[in-house]
Amino acid sequence: MNAMMETSELPAVFDGVKLAAVAAVLYVIVRCLNLKSPTAPPDLYFQDSGLSRFLLKSCPLLTKEYIPPLIWGKSGHIQTALYGKMGRVRSPHPYGHRKFITMSDGATSTFDLFEPLAEHCVGDDITMVICPGIANHSEKQYIRTFVDYAQKNGYRCAVLNHLGALPNIELTSPRMFTYGCTWEFGAMVNYIKKTYPLTQLVVVGFSLGGNIVCKYLGETQANQEKVLCCVSVCQGYSALRSPLSGHLRNETIVGIVIPRFIPRVESGLETQKSAEWRAQETFMQWDQCRRFYNFLMADNMKKIILSHRQALFGDHVKKPQSLEDTDLSRLYTATSLMQIDDNVMRKFHGYNSLKEYYEEESCMRYLHRIYVPLMLVNAADDPLVHESLLAIPKSLSEKRENVMFVLPLHGGHLGFFEGSVLFPEPLTWMDKLVVEYANAICQWERNKSQCSDTELVEADLE
């Protein structure tokens, strides 16, 4: 009898285990997919001004909820992975012309030029000058999708192909693109200004491209001539400084409050030493799988560099003095972008150390010199950009009337997919926002011009 009772209880025990297993799996799915996270409009950081009020009125996407695909869209990792692997869905193939520019050091820079497919909403000649992300170019799907949408909204588009990124274009000098080198982007902008003297510019940078365009604009006031506005999406602002914990003190640098990490006072000392984490060290941590992403991007960079091995390391090449043959062997064993930057990339421009390279190449020290309208966009769940780095655009937007910082809850790194349940739409929230912001700035400038003309007429009548 007891044996029969024990046997009848076994199925109940197994059923309980199955239910527990199912519950555990569902819990993991809910946590990993972040399904409990709410949808909300992006957080906005700006100063109250005529421009900001006009933007809020003219850009509905700034105040509407960003709604990602229900099943997976709230996971920054999945958004990032889909962008990295797939780029976009049903990506168009815009038709353009490839332009070649010979640089002063013998390098051959290329960019692709796409003419507008419709009249612009204000009727003016507007060119978007676009700088893609790390090792990217005009043939990437997310760039093609954005360019096609911009063309249909009346924009001419010029897209930089990072030096060495295109597999079918050989390097003609022992140098390739780096984290903050603006030479090729500047050459493209100068070509557009010379070829289209009546055009006005909208500057757009994605990820690493965001660092390059902001640095370019801040390098000299002349670089901002004919520029209507600038948009930077998913950049990290500084490769060196990243306040992570402890006491934060605001240190003013040329009118911008930059958060600095200050350790606790020990042994009753009145003086406090400022301690700064290196942002690249956050990229080496396993938090949010950054170390894994770092490895994948480093592996891709190694493949690109090694594909140009003869042009960069060949015996006939006049290499930079600091670049040695041993650096090639170190490149083979590199497992992070920092190792590649230290052994190879910084030496293209003669930097003595990785610290010097990151300090000089980061746009953070140039942001306060940008006077045109500037929109900085990041996602709160971007696994590549540590949340502490977002203190930089937040602080900037609190001090400068021309700056607006847009921070949606979701989107990952250059994902920002939209959709109902499972399948994403071809156009992303990011594509729409950049064009909507550019349209609003164009209208703002047109209104200012018309007001100025009216005032001149009234003055003449008086």
Side-chain angles (χ1 to χ4, degrees):
M1 184 64 117
N2 290 336
M4 291 179 61
M5 291 179 60
E6 290 177 1
T7 303
S8 63
E9 290 175 357
L10 284 177
V13 172
F14 288 139
D15 289 342
V17 171
K18 290 179 182 177
L19 287 174
V22 170
V25 170
L26 290 176
Y27 174 78
V28 170
I29 291 174
V30 169
R31 287 296 300 271
C32 291
L33 297 181
N34 205 20
L35 293 177
K36 295 182 67 176
S37 177
T39 57
D43 291 335
L44 303 177
Y45 300 83
F46 59 91
Q47 283 192 305
D48 185 34
S49 65
L51 174 60
S52 62
R53 289 192 292 271
F54 181 82
L55 289 173
L56 293 177
K57 180 181 177 181
S58 304
C59 300
L61 289 176
L62 292 174
T63 53
K64 287 173 54 179
E65 284 186 344
Y66 161 51
I67 304 178
L70 178 64
I71 300 298
W72 51 265
K74 296 179 181 179
S75 168
H77 293 291
I78 296 180
Q79 289 248 21
T80 301
L82 285 180
Y83 145 72
K85 190 67 178 176
M86 184 176 62
R88 294 292 183 259
V89 296
R90 300 191 297 278
S91 180
H93 293 268
Y95 176 76
H97 297 279
R98 182 151 295 164
K99 304 294 182 180
F100 296 80
I101 302 176
T102 301
M103 308 296 292
S104 59
D105 65 345
T108 302
S109 176
T110 69
F111 69 92
D112 285 17
L113 190 61
F114 304 86
E115 292 297 331
L117 299 177
E119 185 178 356
H120 192 270
C121 62
V122 298
D124 292 340
D125 186 305
I126 313 291
T127 303
M128 280 192 175
V129 283
I130 302 166
C131 191
I134 183 171
N136 288 174
H137 44 74
S138 63
E139 297 174 11
K140 291 293 183 180
Q141 289 193 1
Y142 78 99
I143 294 294
R144 288 176 7 214
T145 299
F146 175 72
V147 165
D148 180 73
Y149 184 61
Q151 284 181 287
K152 290 175 180 176
N153 278 270
Y155 291 94
R156 178 186 298 109
C157 294
V159 183
L160 180 69
N161 300 311
H162 283 301
L163 200 62
L166 281 170
N168 58 338
I169 302 293
E170 296 291 336
L171 292 179
T172 56
S173 74
R175 178 176 68 84
M176 58 183 295
F177 78 92
T178 57
Y179 169 59
C181 179
T182 61
W183 298 351
E184 289 78 45
F185 185 76
M188 179 180 75
V189 171
N190 290 336
Y191 177 96
I192 295 297
K193 288 181 177 179
K194 184 178 179 180
T195 307
Y196 305 95
L198 299 180
T199 196
Q200 294 175 291
L201 305 178
V202 172
V203 179
V204 181
F206 298 104
S207 192
L208 173 139
N211 179 74
I212 290 176
V213 301
C214 288
K215 181 172 177 282
Y216 169 78
L217 292 178
E219 284 176 339
T220 172
Q221 189 68 31
N223 290 349
Q224 299 179 50
E225 293 177 0
K226 292 192 170 185
V227 174
L228 292 172
C229 63
C230 175
V231 181
S232 165
V233 184
C234 288
Q235 70 150 307
Y237 306 99
S238 173
L240 188 64
R241 304 176 192 275
S242 175
L244 293 181
S245 56
H247 295 95
L248 286 176
R249 180 182 69 194
N250 286 337
E251 179 175 302
T252 303
I253 302 177
V254 201
I256 297 179
V257 178
I258 301 297
R260 300 292 293 276
F261 174 86
I262 304 299
R264 299 182 183 277
V265 180
E266 296 181 1
S267 305
L269 295 175
E270 293 294 326
T271 59
Q272 295 178 315
K273 292 183 179 181
S274 68
E276 296 169 347
W277 273 79
R278 294 172 183 261
Q280 68 265 26
E281 288 180 0
T282 70
F283 213 25
M284 296 292 287
Q285 298 169 354
W286 283 103
D287 176 45
Q288 291 294 313
C289 299
R290 286 190 192 88
R291 184 66 181 89
F292 178 67
Y293 290 115
N294 192 347
F295 173 79
L296 293 179
M297 288 190 290
D299 188 60
N300 185 51
M301 276 298 301
K302 281 165 56 175
K303 292 176 181 176
I304 294 174
I305 295 172
L306 292 173
S307 70
H308 298 290
R309 181 168 46 242
Q310 288 302 315
L312 297 174
F313 300 96
D315 295 334
H316 65 286
V317 175
K318 187 179 179 181
K319 300 186 287 290
Q321 288 184 337
S322 56
L323 194 61
E324 302 173 355
D325 292 336
T326 55
D327 294 321
L328 180 59
S329 61
R330 294 192 188 101
L331 177 65
Y332 282 108
T333 59
T335 59
S336 71
L337 289 175
M338 294 84 220
Q339 291 172 324
I340 295 174
D341 287 343
D342 193 21
N343 292 318
V344 179
M345 308 305 281
R346 68 173 176 85
K347 298 180 180 181
F348 290 143
H349 295 279
Y351 290 111
N352 295 317
S353 67
L354 188 63
K355 179 178 182 293
E356 180 187 9
Y357 171 66
Y358 284 146
E359 280 184 341
E360 295 296 324
E361 298 286 288
S362 293
C363 73
M364 188 182 80
R365 56 201 296 267
Y366 296 92
L367 287 170
H368 67 276
R369 302 178 189 171
I370 300 176
Y371 299 100
V372 299
L374 172 63
M375 182 172 71
L376 305 170
V377 183
N378 289 90
D381 65 353
D382 187 338
L384 302 187
V385 179
H386 194 278
E387 61 182 355
S388 61
L389 291 169
L390 302 182
I392 296 171
K394 287 178 183 178
S395 176
L396 184 70
S397 62
E398 291 169 358
K399 295 296 178 180
R400 304 297 299 273
E401 285 190 359
N402 64 309
V403 180
M404 176 176 284
F405 177 45
V406 182
L407 185 67
L409 279 174
H410 311 112
H413 190 78
L414 295 182
F416 300 105
F417 291 97
E418 288 185 308
S420 55
V421 179
L422 183 61
F423 298 104
E425 299 292 332
L427 271 180
T428 68
W429 179 84
M430 174 187 77
D431 301 321
K432 299 174 185 176
L433 177 66
V434 175
V435 170
E436 188 175 81
Y437 175 82
N439 287 344
I441 293 296
C442 292
Q443 190 62 56
W444 168 260
E445 293 296 329
R446 168 58 65 91
N447 294 347
K448 281 172 47 180
S449 176
Q450 290 175 347
C451 289
S452 299
D453 292 342
T454 303
E455 291 172 358
L456 287 173
V457 172
E458 290 175 352
D460 289 339
L461 292 174
E462 291 175 359

